[in-house]
Amino acid sequence: NQMGFLPGAAKVAVVPAAGTTAGATAFSVIRAGSGAVVQQGALGAAKASPDSGDTVRLADFSSLTTPGRYQLRVAGLPDSLPFEIARGAYQALNVGALRAYYYNRAGIALDAKHAGAYARAAGHPDTNVMVHASAASTARPAGTIIASPKGWYDAGDYNKYIVNSGIATSTLLAAWEDFPAFFQSQALNIPESGNGIPDILNETLWNLAWMLTMQDPNDGGVYHKLTDKKFDGAVMPADARQQRYVVQKTTAAALDFAATMATASRVLAPFDKQLPGMAARMRTAAEQAWRWANANPAAYYQQPDDIKTGEYGDKDLRDEFGWAAAELFITTGDPAYYQAMQAPSLNATVPSWGEVGGLAWLSLARHRQHLNAVADQALIASRIDTLAGQLAAARQRSAYGYAMQTSDYVWGSNAVVLNQAMVLASAYRLTGKRAYLDVAQANFDAIMGRNAVDISFVTGFGARSAQHPHHRPSEADGIAAPVPGFVVGGPQPGREDQKNCKAQYPSALPARAYLDDECSYASNEVAINWNAPLVYVSAALQALTPA
Ligand code: G3I
Ligand code: 9MR
């Protein structure tokens, strides 16, 4: 892990088994600079990793807790990159991961005071957005102009999608709900800083304000996305000037919107002085969207012929219904929402934009002490513990020592790694089982350098980090270094973008199919839903790791 470790954390490095002289079986930790040996240990057994095609051994130096700057030494191999053991090891990273959202804001100029070298003109005011034929209604026929400003750009592209905004925004709100003390004092240096609202909420409000505009006040339905007809080229936001459209009202958008607004409503209730009426407005918006979804339970996203941008399509909405119901239940206390959740048949899985059932269970667990008595407390605890137990068991089989399995290497695999870590950290909070925290740490390590391609997947963080993300501002701004704080998608064998790339992927193996090139939207794009668990997990490790 190029970002190092907290003193009390599990500390493990992965050592290639080939290349070590006469099969070295020992390691030492040396002080960076002086080379003085501070610890020696035995390497774990050599284990083959089918995902990366190599054989590795683990070096466990968890018992080294003294803050300092170190390197790992194994005979026959170059010394590792230097790393630190420090009390605030992940604090700057957490700030950076949140500031990435500020850099991806639509509809605002980034000034030098807050954006430094990455200052840029405003793009996409979205005050002149057209209702697409697919979204036409009596009150708002096709061609109607609406205003739908603010929000974050979804990713490396400049469009705004409700489904993905829902999970991204909710995950940031979950981070706040779980670790308020950690975030309370954090300063992000964004325009709203110092206004009496914690900055994580200030940043999240930029997107919530946009999401509210995506609800049609005439019927409570929510547009699926706000988009160009086709993706912009690699230009700065201010130079991307295509007509924008709101496209189709969908059940998934209404439900993800309802879940997010219900959550935001309870989070913002204590800030009614700064945001008069906001919490109540969000609660009403959530309930209206919920009613629309129940009246229109099968309005699946169907990409119109003239629209070519991201789809976020999903035809199994049992989990979306469950998640929205759960958040409405927590916020309102109304047992009818608990019944609507259909708890016995709602599965807990690692969250992703298309599979949100786990978010329902995580929220219920987080609020377990304050739920209406109708909630099945034993079921809540067992759903989380069972899922975390499965992830911890997967770690035992993994040569690299983390929860990832072959099937987890999908588009956005790094977010799978991080969402697994989020589940594990939450399960540790719930059960106190130390193994869960250690596997969360291992997965986080995987993002920050403990991986087959020996790279930190977060721009601007770590000694050897991703340099060329598929991110239009990073490509077009004329600055060599990418906009910092973004986790890139990560390795996955699909390589759907190879036709778009001159450079070849170095490998087709799941854990090595990663291309650090601007062309690679299938392995090297950034996205708001991928950064959110990075925010959660880096805060969780800081807040939960025993000293
Ligand atoms: O649903 C199938 C599943 O049944 C099958 O087993 C599996 C096998 O690979 O594929 C699943 O579909 C995948 C789908 O995501 C759902 O997970 C597709 O293969 C995969 O290509 C698809 O990737 C999505 C990608 O857009 C392409 O649509 C990513 O999850 C999603 O994060 C990404 O999102 C894009 C937006 O569209 C546009 N903005 C950028 C953003 C990030 O790249
Ligand atoms: O830039 C787009 C990226 O945000 C999407 O995730 C990706 C898949 O939908 O598509 C990218 O756009 C590419 C398009 O699909 C094909 N032509 C090249 C575009 C990027 O350079």
Side-chain angles (χ1 to χ4, degrees):
N1 182 332
Q2 295 176 24
M3 293 309 292
F5 302 90
L6 296 156
K11 306 174 194 74
V12 175
V14 174
V15 177
T20 50
T21 37
T25 55
F27 71 92
S28 41
V29 181
I30 58 171
R31 212 168 265 293
S34 77
V37 175
V38 296
Q39 197 181 68
Q40 288 178 306
L43 291 169
K47 233 174 170 176
S49 164
D51 296 334
S52 52
D54 53 3
T55 298
V56 297
R57 295 173 183 272
L58 300 182
D60 187 333
F61 52 101
S62 302
S63 58
L64 179 62
T65 57
T66 315
R69 199 168 151 76
Y70 305 98
Q71 287 173 284
L72 198 81
R73 177 167 287 175
V74 175
L77 289 171
D79 291 341
S80 78
L81 291 168
F83 62 89
E84 289 203 351
I85 295 178
R87 289 203 174 79
Y90 308 141
Q91 251 148 12
L93 172 71
N94 188 270
V95 167
L98 273 168
R99 282 181 50 77
Y101 290 88
Y102 166 68
Y103 288 125
N104 242 32
R105 283 187 188 187
I108 186 176
L110 308 187
D111 55 44
K113 176 162 183 258
H114 304 105
Y118 299 99
R120 59 163 172 80
H124 306 89
D126 290 336
T127 46
N128 187 27
V129 175
M130 206 172 267
V131 174
H132 186 264
S134 62
S137 62
T138 321
R140 288 182 169 182
T144 304
I145 297 296
I146 67 166
S148 189
K150 302 190 180 179
W152 301 310
Y153 299 127
D154 183 54
D157 65 324
Y158 291 141
N159 304 298
K160 306 191 288 196
Y161 308 83
I162 284 292
V163 164
N164 208 41
S165 262
I167 182 171
T169 306
S170 292
T171 300
L172 294 181
L173 293 172
W176 162 261
E177 286 196 309
D178 276 347
F179 311 111
F182 176 86
F183 289 108
Q184 189 79 57
S185 56
Q186 185 186 59
L188 294 181
N189 183 32
I190 55 178
E192 299 79 11
S193 294
N195 65 356
I197 300 172
D199 273 351
I200 186 174
L201 299 183
N202 276 325
E203 190 51 51
T204 305
L205 274 159
W206 187 262
N207 202 55
L208 286 163
W210 165 67
M211 288 182 76
L212 282 170
T213 70
M214 290 291 278
Q215 184 172 45
D216 181 348
N218 300 291
D219 63 3
V222 179
Y223 302 110
H224 193 73
K225 61 177 176 174
L226 189 163
T227 182
D228 306 327
K229 284 196 168 177
K230 55 181 182 30
F231 287 115
D232 292 302
V235 297
M236 291 301 281
D239 301 323
R241 304 245 178 79
Q242 297 183 60
Q243 175 63 47
R244 310 259 275 179
Y245 296 85
V246 286
V247 179
Q248 207 186 329
K249 288 171 189 160
T250 64
T251 314
L255 292 169
D256 290 350
F257 174 99
T260 306
M261 287 302 160
T263 305
S265 157
R266 65 173 180 261
V267 164
L268 295 174
F271 301 96
D272 208 53
K273 211 171 101 208
Q274 292 90 343
L275 302 161
M278 182 63 91
R281 181 181 167 200
M282 288 173 161
R283 178 173 159 159
T284 304
E287 292 182 308
Q288 284 169 344
W290 169 256
R291 279 196 292 274
W292 188 93
N294 280 278
N296 301 270
Y300 304 121
Y301 184 67
Q302 173 68 48
Q303 181 96 302
D305 288 343
D306 61 339
I307 304 282
K308 308 290 181 200
T309 53
E311 299 196 16
Y312 291 116
D314 186 359
K315 289 202 163 71
D316 182 348
L317 303 183
R318 286 171 297 182
D319 52 322
E320 281 77 6
F321 272 105
W323 181 36
E327 300 297 359
L328 280 158
F329 169 64
I330 295 165
T331 297
T332 65
D334 182 346
Y337 285 120
Y338 189 78
Q339 299 313 334
M341 210 187 108
Q342 300 189 12
S345 60
L346 181 65
N347 292 324
T349 54
V350 174
S352 68
W353 64 259
E355 237 181 285
V356 293
L359 297 175
W361 292 108
L362 290 169
S363 285
L364 290 167
R366 156 174 322 128
H367 292 280
R368 63 192 176 281
Q369 270 135 15
H370 309 283
L371 297 176
N372 180 298
V374 71
D376 184 340
Q377 292 282 350
L379 186 64
I380 295 169
S382 94
R383 281 284 200 275
I384 300 292
D385 194 25
T386 303
L387 180 58
Q390 287 160 0
L391 294 168
R395 188 264 296 256
Q396 299 303 334
R397 299 188 294 269
S398 155
Y400 278 65
Y402 33 73
M404 288 289 278
Q405 305 184 63
T406 308
S407 58
D408 294 327
Y409 289 93
V410 296
W411 190 313
S413 60
N414 282 337
V416 179
V417 179
L418 289 164
N419 277 305
Q420 289 176 342
M422 178 173 80
V423 168
L424 286 156
S426 304
Y428 170 67
R429 283 187 84 214
L430 187 70
T431 65
K433 293 182 186 170
R434 178 65 201 239
Y436 293 169
L437 181 66
D438 294 349
V439 187
Q441 175 76 46
N443 270 27
F444 177 70
D445 293 347
I447 297 299
M448 304 312 307
R450 174 178 161 185
N451 56 56
V453 295
D454 198 14
I455 202 169
S456 154
F457 288 119
V458 180
T459 59
F461 288 86
R464 189 151 56 217
S465 60
Q467 294 300 316
H468 307 289
H470 184 79
H471 180 236
R472 284 163 176 73
S474 293
E475 293 172 53
D477 63 9
I479 300 171
V483 178
F486 284 105
V487 64
V488 296
Q492 60 108 356
R495 294 166 293 157
E496 291 84 349
D497 49 25
Q498 182 62 81
K499 57 188 181 307
N500 198 48
C501 294
K502 291 198 190 90
Q504 289 287 315
Y505 272 79
S507 169
L509 286 164
R512 290 184 190 276
Y514 169 71
L515 184 55
D516 187 10
D517 190 299
E518 288 162 351
C519 68
S520 182
Y521 47 82
S523 80
N524 210 32
E525 190 163 357
V526 309
I528 56 173
N529 61 317
W530 303 341
N531 249 60
L534 176 63
V535 170
Y536 185 99
V537 171
S538 50
L541 294 175
Q542 274 293 157
L544 299 176
T545 305

